[in-house]
Amino acid sequence: MICALGSAVCFGTASVLQAVAARAAAGPGSGAGVDPALLLRAVRQWRYMAGLALDGCGFVLQIIALRSLPIYAVGAALAASLAVTAVVAARLLHVRLSRTEWAAVGVVCAGLAMLGLAAGGEGDRTGSTALRWWMLGIALGVLLIGAAAGRLPEKPRALVLGLGAGCGFGVVEVAVRLIDDISPSALVANPATYALLLGGGAAFLLLTSALQRGSVTTATAGMVIGETIGPALVGIVWLGDRTREGLGWLAVTGFAVAVVGALALTRFGEAPTDTPGPAVPGAR
């Protein structure tokens, strides 16, 4: 659980840096959908690169956590990165948190504490070949979602981009568990390897676009839902994730509390603007 929480800290801090860079990189000719050129402009910003470095550290910690914890526990911890983003924003960008938002941070921490007490070890199933191909198909679907998002009105577009990014991150969570042999020949032959790479890349592309366009608060809510609920169900139904004996109710409660608390903090998906007033950072 320490690695999962460390991953959340890395992702949450990176959010502040990446959201500022994504908004600064937006050019006057930026379109409404997913814009690969936006990502290329963003990576020229030092803040975005620093955020990527933190994301790299967070990803390593996430892999370690997924090797010892159920997916539902890691997913809830990653959703809690919004609480980290809120606290970092309050410190570094002088964003004022309301009492309700401080309470939401406390709710997230309480939910994670419940999960830490109730979570068992990772499931003992390695997953079927069909599941590996399904993950690759979903990763491809995330790219199609991003391509179609530009034709939607602003509010649905933000939600679709967020859900797409969340599904991409969820594919990464599941794919890590489906890679049981890391020898080069096995990695090349495993569809989960390509699902991990494609899902993670597509998620970052959609998220970078969401940080710059539309209601990113809505997008962040979609991302939290996409990266928690689906992967948790896959872990329980297909990979054998369980809780400690007699503590299933506590795990369900903790998961729900942590996700609801994270959703209460989704305004921290909004990137800072150039207008006067308090700046608000971005999601992961």
Side-chain angles (χ1 to χ4, degrees):
M1 197 65 177
I2 293 176
C3 288
L5 294 176
S7 179
V9 170
C10 289
F11 286 139
T13 305
S15 297
V16 181
L17 301 172
Q18 288 173 331
V20 176
R23 185 59 60 92
S30 295
V34 175
D35 181 9
L38 172 62
L39 182 60
L40 294 176
R41 293 192 298 270
V43 297
R44 298 173 187 170
Q45 307 270 338
W46 72 265
R47 292 180 184 86
Y48 198 87
M49 294 305 296
L52 284 180
L54 284 172
D55 280 332
C57 293
F59 182 64
V60 172
L61 292 172
Q62 177 185 358
I63 290 176
I64 296 173
L66 285 167
R67 290 297 185 180
S68 59
L69 287 174
I71 292 176
Y72 65 79
V74 178
L78 295 180
S81 65
L82 280 175
V84 176
T85 299
V87 174
V88 171
R91 294 287 184 181
L92 299 184
L93 298 180
H94 308 293
V95 176
R96 181 172 296 180
L97 273 66
S98 67
R99 291 182 180 179
T100 301
E101 287 164 340
W102 278 117
V105 172
V107 165
V108 169
C109 293
L112 292 177
M114 288 185 236
L115 273 175
L117 290 173
E122 66 169 335
D124 55 1
R125 301 179 200 164
T126 58
S128 64
T129 301
L131 181 59
R132 290 170 168 80
W133 282 107
W134 268 107
M135 289 300 105
L136 181 56
I138 292 172
L140 290 169
V142 170
L143 282 177
L144 296 177
I145 288 172
R151 303 176 183 177
L152 299 174
E154 181 176 316
K155 274 197 173 182
R157 181 173 70 236
L159 182 59
V160 168
L161 284 172
L163 280 171
C167 290
F169 288 127
V171 166
V172 171
E173 294 173 28
V174 176
V176 167
R177 288 280 297 277
L178 295 176
I179 299 175
D180 49 358
D181 186 346
I182 59 173
S183 64
S185 59
L187 287 175
V188 170
N190 191 343
T193 303
Y194 306 103
L196 187 152
L197 296 173
L198 184 58
F204 271 112
L205 180 58
L206 267 64
L207 183 57
T208 301
S209 297
L211 288 172
Q212 189 270 330
R213 298 183 179 89
S215 173
V216 188
T217 300
T218 302
T220 306
M223 184 186 71
V224 169
I225 293 171
E227 73 177 347
T228 53
I229 297 177
L233 291 175
V234 171
I236 292 170
V237 176
W238 283 284
L239 299 178
D241 288 347
R242 294 292 181 266
T243 64
R244 294 183 182 178
E245 188 67 29
L247 293 181
W249 65 272
L250 185 61
V252 172
T253 302
F255 180 86
V257 166
V259 172
V260 169
L263 290 173
L265 293 166
T266 51
R267 84 171 178 100
F268 290 94
E270 191 68 51
T273 64
D274 296 329
T275 57
V280 185
R284 190 188 306 195

